[in-house]
Amino acid sequence: MARLRMPHFQRRWKWPKVLIALMVIELAGTVPALALFGIASPNLYRTKLWRIGNENGFNSSPLQVLYAYANYRPIPKIPFVWSQSLTDFNVAVSVLSMFVLLVKAAMFLLHIWYPILSTLTNLPIVVLWAVSVYGQMGPDHSDPKHPSNIAWYLTKSCSYARPSGNYGYCLQAKGAFAVTVVMLVTFLLNLLLGIWSLIPTASQRAASKVGLDDMQTKHSPLSDNSDREWEMKRVLPTTNATPAQPYTPRTLAFNTLDRQLPLRA
C-alpha cells in the first residue's frame, strides 16, 4: 500500500527583505490607526457626520430611532456605518494588529516566524480589515427616500461640514479610512508573501527528495549503513572460502542454549 506523503512546506522566506519592509509599513499604519480610532471612540464625530449627511440629503437621519419610538413604529436598524459596533470593531482590530506586529517582530528575530504561521495569522486579520473598510464605506439604505451606497464623507468634499464646525472631523474620518485601506493592503501582501514562500522551488523539491531517499536508505534492513537492529541482517563473510551464515537475535539465543556459540574470528 502506498504511503501518503505530507506536503512539504518551506520554513525559509523567499524574500526576507520584503517581509521586513512590510513590517515597517505595518508599524507606520498601525500606530495612526490606533490613534485615530481611539480618538473617535466612543462617538466623537460619527453622529455629527450622520446628521450632516441627512441635512444635505445624502443619507438617513440619526433621529429616525426617536421618531420610531414616538410613533410606536418598528425600530429601524441602525446602518453599520453609523453604529457604535463599527467604532468598537475598528478599535479592537487596531489593538489586535499591534499585538500581532509585536509578536511577529519578536519571532522573526528569533528565526521562528515561519511562512505557515504568517499565513494562518494574516488570513483572519485580512478579513477583519476588509470588514472595517466595508463598514466605513457604507451603505445606508435605512431611509428609502435618502439611500446611500457609500458614506458621503468619502465621496464628497468636507466643505459640507464646514458650516457646522465639523470640517476637521470630516478630514479625520477620511484619514481613518485611508489608514484602514493601507492596513488591508499591507496584511494582504503579507498573506500573499507567506503563501508564495510556502511553495517550494524546483531545486528545493529536488533537495527534499534526495534527503528523503537518503533517510529511507539509511533505515532500510537491506542497507549495510543501517543504524537499526533488524530481524534478519546480512553478515559479511569472514573469508572468501567459508562464507558466514546469516543469523538473527533468536538464532543466537538458541545457539547459546545448545552450547553452540558462533565462531569468532
Side-chain angles (χ1 to χ4, degrees):
M1 181 182 295
R3 298 180 62 182
L4 296 177
R5 294 182 60 181
M6 297 297 293
H8 180 71
F9 295 132
Q10 295 299 312
R11 293 187 176 185
R12 293 184 178 181
W13 291 91
K14 291 184 178 180
W15 299 322
K17 293 183 179 180
V18 176
L19 178 62
I20 296 175
L22 289 175
M23 286 185 184
V24 175
I25 298 175
E26 189 177 336
L27 176 62
T30 305
V31 174
L34 276 173
L36 290 172
F37 292 131
I39 293 173
S41 181
N43 187 10
L44 179 62
Y45 53 77
R46 184 183 66 252
T47 303
K48 296 177 181 178
L49 297 181
W50 188 6
R51 183 175 61 252
I52 293 172
N54 176 256
E55 292 173 354
N56 291 274
F58 300 145
N59 50 246
S60 61
S61 172
L63 301 178
Q64 60 184 350
V65 177
L66 296 179
Y67 292 153
Y69 276 116
N71 296 284
Y72 299 98
R73 295 179 179 178
I75 307 300
K77 184 178 180 180
I78 298 178
F80 188 50
V81 62
W82 308 119
S83 65
Q84 180 67 38
S85 299
L86 177 61
T87 303
D88 297 338
F89 180 83
N90 291 333
V91 174
V93 175
S94 302
V95 174
L96 176 62
S97 298
M98 177 59 74
F99 174 76
V100 169
L101 177 60
L102 296 176
V103 174
K104 180 194 307 184
M107 295 182 68
F108 181 78
L109 293 176
L110 296 174
H111 303 286
I112 56 176
W113 181 247
Y114 302 131
I116 184 63
L117 295 178
S118 175
T119 302
L120 296 177
T121 303
N122 289 320
L123 180 59
I125 299 182
V126 167
V127 175
L128 294 177
W129 281 115
V131 172
S132 179
V133 169
Y134 170 79
Q136 294 178 62
M137 289 180 61
D140 178 6
H141 296 157
S142 59
D143 187 355
K145 296 181 180 180
H146 303 95
S148 173
N149 294 323
I150 301 178
W152 71 268
Y153 60 84
L154 297 179
T155 58
K156 296 176 174 57
S157 173
C158 287
S159 59
Y160 291 98
R162 193 182 296 276
S164 60
N166 295 306
Y167 181 80
Y169 291 151
C170 178
L171 293 179
Q172 185 173 335
K174 286 180 178 288
F177 179 77
V179 171
T180 305
V181 173
V182 171
M183 295 299 295
L184 173 60
V185 174
T186 302
F187 275 98
L188 182 59
L189 293 177
N190 269 302
L191 176 62
L192 296 178
L193 179 60
I195 295 175
W196 175 248
S197 298
L198 283 175
I199 303 175
T201 61
S203 60
Q204 290 172 337
R205 286 194 295 266
S208 176
K209 186 177 184 302
V210 171
L212 181 61
D213 293 341
D214 292 342
M215 182 179 299
Q216 291 177 347
T217 303
K218 182 178 180 181
H219 294 284
S220 173
L222 300 179
S223 174
D224 295 332
N225 297 325
S226 176
D227 56 356
R228 298 179 59 182
E229 293 294 335
W230 297 89
E231 283 294 315
M232 179 68 83
K233 186 174 181 179
R234 293 183 300 172
V235 179
L236 296 177
T238 56
T239 63
N240 295 330
T242 306
Q245 181 181 1
Y247 67 92
T248 66
R250 292 190 181 91
T251 303
L252 180 62
F254 290 136
N255 290 341
T256 302
L257 294 176
D258 294 338
R259 302 296 182 180
Q260 297 177 2
L261 297 177
L263 297 177
R264 298 183 180 179

